[in-house]
Amino acid sequence: MTTNAYLSFLAIGVALVLIDGQIIYRSGRRYLENSYGDPAAGASMTRLVTVLFHLATLGVLALISTVNLGGSDLPGVVGRLGVLLLILALAHAITLAALARIRGEQEVEAVVQRGGRQQRVEPEPQATVTPVPGQDGRYPAASPSLENRSPYSAQ
């Protein structure tokens, strides 16, 4: 492979890794914000996972660049990019699994801190329509009224 083809492969590969890393960081930060309760802590953990992603995938990129896949310049670059894309997809999936595991652990920890109880959310009272007959015996348009009883209480 010529120097131009080699440098082109490295430039394209680095760009792909950096773009995917930014996607993981931005999405992962929003994903972990709620699980930590503190947005700064979620952003910090996402940053650590993203740095690991960058280091691992850039290392793989360096290794792929040294493998001889044969062929002339263009087929060699395309072959290396194909291998890089497959490995990048695998690294992306592993990173998403790591973020999901971190979030799951934080949610379990939050339940334990609440004393092992799940918080029960009471549903809001339902609006009911009660028709009232008019003087002529027909039912005019009904107006909704909120009942203040719980849906779980006896009727």
Side-chain angles (χ1 to χ4, degrees):
M1 182 159 67
T2 65
T3 304
N4 286 340
Y6 181 74
L7 292 176
S8 297
F9 168 72
L10 286 178
I12 293 169
V14 167
L16 288 172
V17 169
L18 292 178
I19 289 169
D20 194 29
Q22 283 301 307
I23 291 170
I24 290 172
Y25 175 71
R26 291 171 193 258
S27 300
R29 187 180 68 209
R30 286 191 301 267
Y31 184 68
L32 290 182
E33 263 180 3
N34 297 333
S35 65
Y36 275 91
D38 178 19
S44 178
M45 183 56 71
T46 306
R47 193 173 302 112
L48 291 171
V49 171
T50 305
V51 167
L52 177 63
F53 169 83
H54 281 115
L55 291 174
T57 53
L58 288 173
V60 169
L61 173 66
L63 291 174
I64 292 172
S65 71
T66 64
V67 174
N68 186 8
L69 294 177
S72 62
D73 291 343
L74 186 59
V77 170
V78 171
R80 282 184 179 82
L81 282 175
V83 171
L84 175 64
L85 287 172
L86 291 173
I87 292 174
L88 195 57
L90 179 64
H92 190 97
I94 291 169
T95 304
L96 292 180
L99 289 172
R101 183 174 179 172
I102 291 168
R103 181 176 177 169
E105 289 172 357
Q106 289 302 317
E107 289 173 349
V108 168
E109 186 176 314
V111 169
V112 169
Q113 286 178 353
R114 287 192 306 253
R117 293 168 287 153
Q118 292 283 345
Q119 288 182 337
R120 181 177 172 157
V121 178
E122 290 289 327
E124 293 184 21
Q126 299 291 322
T128 59
V129 177
T130 310
V132 178
Q135 290 182 356
D136 59 358
R138 294 187 311 164
Y139 289 95
S143 62
S145 65
L146 290 177
E147 296 182 16
N148 291 328
R149 65 173 192 250
S150 169
Y152 302 107
S153 64
Q155 297 285 334

